[in-house]
Amino acid sequence: MIRFWRKSNPIRRTLEAYADSRPLPEAAPENLTRVLRVENEDASIIEDARRRLAVIGFTMVIAFGGLGFRAIELAFTGSEAVATIPAQAEARRGDLVDRNGQVLATTLETWSLFADPQLVWDARETAEALVTVLPDLDVDELTADLSSRRRFVWVQRNLTPRQRQAVFALGMPGLEFRTEPRRVYPRGRLAAHAIGHASRDMDGLAGAEQAFNSALTNDGGRPVPLSIDMGVQFHVDEVLRRYMAEFQAQSATGIVLDVETGEILSLVSLPDFDPNRAGEAASGERLNRALQARYEMGSTFKAFTVALALEQGIAEPGETFDATNPLHVGGYTIEDFHAENRALTLAEIFTHSSNIGSSLIAMEAGADAQRDLLQRLRLLERAPVELDESASPLLPRHWGPTETATISYGHGIAVSPLAVASAFAAIANDGVYVRPTLRPVRPGETVAGEQVISPEVAQGVLDLMREVVENGTGGRADAPGFRVAGKTGTAEIPTRGGYDEDRLISSFSAVFPYDDPQYVVLVILEEPQGNASTYGYATGGWTAAPAAGEIISRIASILGVEQEDDPLARSALVRAALTPDPEPVVRPDE
């Protein structure tokens, strides 16, 4: 084809003449046909070349795109795909607030440090430099991580702004930052067990964080309110810390319940932990004793035995039970802590806390009736609260006469403190059991309950509980102006082969005000030690009862309970303040 386009070619001259509109030779039509055919062949070749170039270009785009994608993948995963950068949470985790809107748990954005070992120049040098600004790191472990073939390793997460700036100032290659959410608990230890804590990946691990994880995660970041009143929580916590230290107790538990709604207004378990540093807490500090611990509650259970007697019609007015001598049942001997050595009425059995009298009542009622009552009060099952920590009770394998007798005064069965508090709330609530809850009840909201004992039986037990505070073992729980009703409890801790009489669980279960029951307060001290102020006694009446009384005096105004204007009570307080301590008159205790 090239030979047609030499300068001397006649066809070229003919086309040039045609382009200049010059007259063509007579042979032009034949030559022109030939030229057009040549042009068509040339255009076809060019079009084929363009198509080939387009295919080649498209292929190269796909190839380089694949290579680019693979390069990005390798940058994050490494050749062995050992680690990947965790995906950030799509939605912000909602706050936890108390019933008054105080923030208990919230989420903040923080910086986390990671490394690409393939870009780290010297693993040892980098690790040693990082430890100078992040002293919690381990040089050897970090050196091993930075020497690996991976492309991503965490160094330390949730840095403070100052820590991030210090790392940045090092200028070490291969180190990068990313923002991550961090769960923060502004109140620290206060209500730690009720609030719980969440993992670094924003998953609830305990307490309300776990129980309401779905609402916190999927409710558009809206706050989730709890029934806890932080004002009440503060006073219960402060009183229990002081009494725990004063009596050198191993632990302390405090619960405040609304008897009509079942709302948990305060839940204290000591020792506790800081949920901001939950990973550093010992297992004993993370244990929520209000729900997870199971205690033999001692004479506290005599309130349920009195309810059994009234329900079964066992103790008619004037009827007595012979507590003159110790009781022998199934090879065991049952004695009273401070024996009256005489026949006792039902009221005397309760106020003097007689183990012998309680056993006689329970055995007359029978194991089936006793078990049925305790079941209705939800004492033979886990407390039905939202928290997963709620533990099932420890029940006897065989419920015979011996077990019936010992359970009547709180031995041979171990239950959680919340289960006990909820049972007392039923007594205070005219015999209606309401499930305990950590969610607040809205004003005007109807709360479903179950009538588990008759109002008459409930009132009878409540009357005797008031008598315990006025004239029995619970006198130190009396809060002037609030008419407290309650029951002391002291139980020896079971050990292999029996009970250790030197290790006690001391408790007090209170209801106030007696005339219009609204709240239950339960206090438990584990292994308290008597001191000079208690004349060496460590029983519930000497240790837990005064703690409960002080708590009631402090929180009543917060809860809107008005103090009665009692001139006699005021004068008694004045006399007590001005008069030296008299010689002790030891009241019968458990």
Side-chain angles (χ1 to χ4, degrees):
M1 183 175 69
I2 296 176
R3 64 177 178 273
F4 292 113
W5 295 94
R6 290 198 297 265
K7 290 184 178 181
S8 59
N9 193 305
I11 297 175
R12 178 183 179 85
R13 292 196 302 272
T14 302
L15 291 174
E16 290 174 349
Y18 179 82
D20 294 335
S21 299
R22 291 178 293 186
L24 295 174
E26 294 182 358
E30 293 180 3
N31 293 338
L32 182 60
T33 301
R34 186 178 178 185
V35 169
L36 293 176
R37 185 173 63 250
V38 171
E39 266 192 333
N40 289 339
E41 292 177 357
D42 186 52
S44 176
I45 292 172
I46 293 173
E47 186 64 26
D48 289 343
R50 287 175 177 171
R51 283 196 295 268
R52 292 190 185 98
L53 288 173
V55 171
I56 293 172
F58 182 72
T59 302
M60 293 180 68
V61 167
I62 294 176
F64 281 106
L67 290 173
F69 178 79
R70 179 58 178 165
I72 294 173
E73 182 181 24
L74 289 174
F76 285 102
T77 65
S79 58
E80 298 178 3
V82 175
T84 59
I85 297 180
Q88 295 193 35
E90 295 182 359
R92 183 181 184 277
R93 186 176 179 86
D95 293 347
L96 281 172
V97 298
D98 83 335
R99 65 188 303 107
N100 300 312
Q102 293 191 39
V103 176
L104 307 179
T106 189
T107 302
L108 299 178
E109 290 295 326
T110 62
W111 292 94
S112 291
L113 176 64
F114 68 93
D116 179 351
Q118 300 300 308
L119 300 180
V120 173
W121 290 355
D122 187 309
R124 187 75 186 184
E125 180 184 355
T126 301
E128 291 176 347
L130 284 172
V131 170
T132 63
V133 295
L134 302 175
D136 292 338
L137 296 176
D138 182 276
V139 172
D140 294 333
E141 291 182 4
L142 184 56
T143 300
D145 288 339
L146 297 179
S147 301
S148 68
R149 298 178 59 188
R150 290 179 287 174
R151 299 304 303 271
F152 176 89
V153 293
W154 282 118
V155 178
Q156 186 164 312
R157 304 172 76 173
N158 304 129
L159 303 181
T160 65
R162 182 172 296 180
Q163 287 175 322
R164 177 179 180 269
Q165 183 59 36
V167 173
F168 186 80
L170 294 176
M172 307 296 291
L175 302 179
E176 297 290 342
F177 298 94
R178 63 163 293 179
T179 58
E180 279 196 308
R182 178 181 180 182
R183 203 63 168 164
V184 177
Y185 304 92
R187 305 306 296 269
R189 294 175 176 271
L190 194 60
H193 291 94
I195 298 167
H197 60 280
S199 69
R200 292 184 183 274
D201 297 322
M202 297 290 104
D203 292 322
L205 298 179
E209 288 275 37
Q210 181 183 42
F212 307 123
N213 190 65
S214 178
L216 290 166
T217 304
N218 303 318
D219 207 13
R222 286 192 290 271
V224 173
L226 302 183
S227 60
I228 296 292
D229 185 312
M230 291 305 283
V232 175
Q233 180 77 14
F234 170 80
H235 288 291
V236 176
D237 183 277
E238 187 173 69
V239 170
L240 289 185
R241 286 185 190 278
R242 181 159 57 81
Y243 275 80
M244 183 177 167
E246 180 179 349
F247 296 115
Q248 302 177 40
Q250 296 298 310
S251 71
T253 303
I255 297 172
V256 179
L257 275 180
D258 186 311
V259 303
E260 293 184 355
T261 64
E263 292 169 288
I264 301 173
L265 303 175
S266 175
L267 188 150
V268 175
S269 175
L270 302 176
D272 55 6
F273 67 101
D274 183 351
N276 293 297
R277 308 174 70 88
E280 302 174 9
S283 59
E285 295 171 335
R286 291 196 301 269
L287 178 67
N288 185 347
R289 288 172 171 79
L291 278 79
Q292 292 176 290
R294 283 135 339 156
Y295 297 117
E296 294 192 5
M297 293 296 296
S299 295
T300 295
F301 260 57
K302 288 172 184 170
F304 313 133
T305 301
V306 167
L308 179 64
L310 296 174
E311 190 172 76
Q312 297 292 316
I314 292 174
E316 298 295 335
E319 183 177 354
T320 61
F321 296 84
D322 187 6
T324 304
N325 299 307
L327 183 65
H328 301 281
V329 181
Y332 294 91
T333 300
I334 297 174
E335 300 177 311
D336 287 340
F337 185 71
H338 283 287
E340 291 292 312
N341 299 316
R342 61 182 177 85
L344 302 174
T345 64
L346 178 63
E348 290 173 329
I349 289 172
F350 194 64
T351 56
H352 295 308
S353 201
S354 170
N355 296 340
I356 298 172
S358 296
S359 300
L360 292 172
I361 291 172
M363 288 191 294
E364 183 173 342
D368 291 341
Q370 182 188 54
R371 187 166 48 239
D372 175 66
L373 175 65
L374 297 181
Q375 180 62 63
R376 280 181 274 139
L377 291 170
R378 304 290 192 274
L379 290 167
L380 304 186
E381 61 188 61
R382 66 183 294 275
V385 70
E386 296 91 347
L387 302 187
D388 290 346
E389 292 92 328
S390 182
S392 297
L394 300 176
L395 306 177
R397 295 181 180 178
H398 173 69
W399 204 306
T402 302
E403 290 74 22
T404 301
T406 59
I407 288 173
S408 74
Y409 56 88
H411 281 75
I413 182 173
V415 297
S416 72
L418 182 60
V420 174
S422 299
F424 273 95
I427 293 173
N429 193 32
D430 287 331
V432 177
Y433 184 94
V434 177
R435 290 173 176 265
T437 179
L438 206 59
R439 295 298 299 268
V441 176
R442 296 186 299 273
E445 181 180 351
T446 301
V447 178
E450 180 183 356
Q451 192 79 48
V452 294
I453 56 178
S454 71
E456 295 76 19
V457 169
Q459 186 61 50
V461 177
L462 195 61
D463 291 342
L464 289 179
M465 289 173 63
R466 176 58 185 164
E467 183 69 17
V468 167
V469 175
E470 286 188 310
N471 301 305
T473 59
R476 294 170 188 81
D478 202 14
F482 298 111
R483 291 176 62 79
V484 178
K487 183 68 186 83
T488 53
T490 304
E492 297 172 355
I493 294 179
T495 59
R496 180 173 296 181
Y499 288 84
D500 188 340
E501 62 181 15
D502 294 325
R503 300 172 62 206
L504 304 177
I505 301 296
S506 299
S507 64
F508 189 81
S509 302
V511 174
F512 80 100
Y514 159 69
D515 304 291
D516 180 23
Q518 297 177 40
Y519 301 100
V520 163
V521 175
L522 174 64
V523 170
I524 297 176
L525 296 176
E526 183 177 357
E527 297 190 53
Q529 306 299 312
N531 56 30
S533 68
T534 65
Y535 307 99
Y537 289 100
T539 53
W542 287 94
T543 58
E550 183 174 341
I551 287 171
I552 291 170
S553 296
R554 286 190 179 203
I555 69 174
S557 60
I558 299 175
L559 299 175
V561 178
E562 294 184 1
Q563 187 174 16
E564 293 182 357
D565 187 11
D566 186 351
L568 294 178
R570 289 203 307 271
S571 63
L573 287 175
V574 172
R575 287 196 305 272
L578 298 178
T579 304
D581 289 339
E583 289 299 316
V585 177
V586 180
R587 295 179 179 179
D589 207 6
E590 308 76 13

